Amino acid sequence: MFRSFFPEPKIFFSSAVLWLLFAVVAWFAIGTPLRSAISIDRFTHPVIAAPATPDQPPAATPAATDQAQPAATPGEANPNAPATTESASPSQQAAAAGANESSAANFLNGERVWLYQYVLLISLLFCLFWYFYKRNEWYWWSVVGSTGILLVIYFQVQVDAFVNEWSGVFFDMIQLALTQPRSVTPERFYGEVFTLFAVLMPTIIVAVLLAFVTSHYVFRWRKAMNFYYMEHWPKIRETEGAAQRVQEDTMRFATIVEDLGTAFFGSLITLVVFLPLLWNLSQNITGLPIVGDIPGSLVWVALATAVFGTLLLAVVGVKLPGLNFANQRVEAAYRKELVFGEDHADRADPPTVKELFAGVQKNYFRLYFHYTYFNLARYAYLNMVGYVPLLALSPSILAGALTMGLYQQVQLAFNQVSSSFQFFARAWTTIVELQSVFMRLRKFESYIPIDQEPINVSLRGVPPAVQ
């Protein structure tokens, strides 16, 4: 499954994990001096203003500026007055402060340019190492393709982080505009909307290209597995369901592993980006119901709900992988008899077909029963967990401690972190399918001479009749 596509799979994946850990440690240990030596942000974001010299006149003080402004007559609004006044509520003052910020300046600042350059450099070095060390015929897809797909996922997570920051600024501006009419200019409002469109439109094109490349990536992996198995076809052709393993399971395995792998890596990147953000945002809430105020409270709530859901679905779905494995075996036996019946008149007779179909029916009915209570737990959890952030923020909402922009930031960040923590809970049905495909291919590969070591596949939950 992996040897056919990746160069030295055990070394490859181990080196990828170790290299990633090294890159993270190096970022915090030597990132600053490395940035001063090789970063391009000194060219893209040069110093705009030098420190003031003694010969330069001092800047006008706020007091002098206020003296130069004409005083407003009674009953007339001063056009030069700030958006907030001393009589404004704390939430209005916070909204005004947030509305005066600009989200555009945070999208490609010097720090982020250096971060993106560092990530690209680390990825390039990893690909170069495998190009010279153990390059195989599928190198450009297995190594470079995998790295490219993960880089695009990282880019998408960074866009999500920008949208979170943009939401805080934009919705504070909306709150200010609603509470203090004419305090937000049309240029300011439409400028923020244009900024969001300018960031999101390229991501749509990137998402389409990613889907296109991913489709080719999956097919190349399937092609590599097909060629690998066909090299040993004389030895494995007589094994049960050999044609189905080569024709169908290779495609399903490559598709599921790619989908789950990219989703899992995306969840890890999301946690790295959004966990610190959610931890800092937790400082703005007054406390949680019942437990009160604890550091990083929203992070712990997201983690607790994810652990609960994962354990719940793992317990109620423990029999599903074995039943899916058994389902493919009874289906293969039924299909094989029908294929023989096409060429031989003495095969696929009604009694035999009836007996084989009875095995198919029995296993499907068992699957329907076990999936019923599994789906009950799954749908109940996924529907109820969406209301957790609202309940967690209820004391802060009732106390009026949140602005609209801050609430949007907390909500978005919590959903990102919670969804990442809930990866296994949300993907459990796909994981069950992958387990069944993996069990079948591992059993199939045990008959290949190079993989002649006996494979003990767990058949827990499989009826004895189909083992």
Side-chain angles (χ1 to χ4, degrees), residues 201-251:
M201 289 304 295
T203 64
I204 297 174
I205 300 175
V206 170
V208 173
L209 293 177
L210 177 63
F212 176 80
V213 173
T214 300
S215 300
H216 279 270
Y217 177 91
V218 170
F219 189 84
R220 261 59 174 200
W221 193 350
R222 175 190 177 186
K223 183 179 179 180
M225 281 192 288
N226 271 264
F227 287 177
Y228 179 78
Y229 291 149
M230 294 310 296
E231 288 179 1
H232 305 282
W233 184 251
K235 298 289 185 180
I236 60 178
R237 58 182 296 272
E238 296 181 357
T239 60
E240 183 272 328
Q244 185 181 8
R245 302 292 84 80
V246 175
Q247 185 270 328
E248 179 182 349
D249 282 343
T250 54
M251 179 270 295

Side-chain angles (χ1 to χ4, degrees), residues 443-463:
K443 191 68 175 179
F444 180 61
E445 288 182 354
S446 66
Y447 298 97
I448 297 178
I450 196 174
D451 297 323
Q452 213 37 266
E453 181 181 349
I455 303 297
N456 295 320
V457 178
S458 174
L459 299 180
R460 181 172 54 179
V462 181

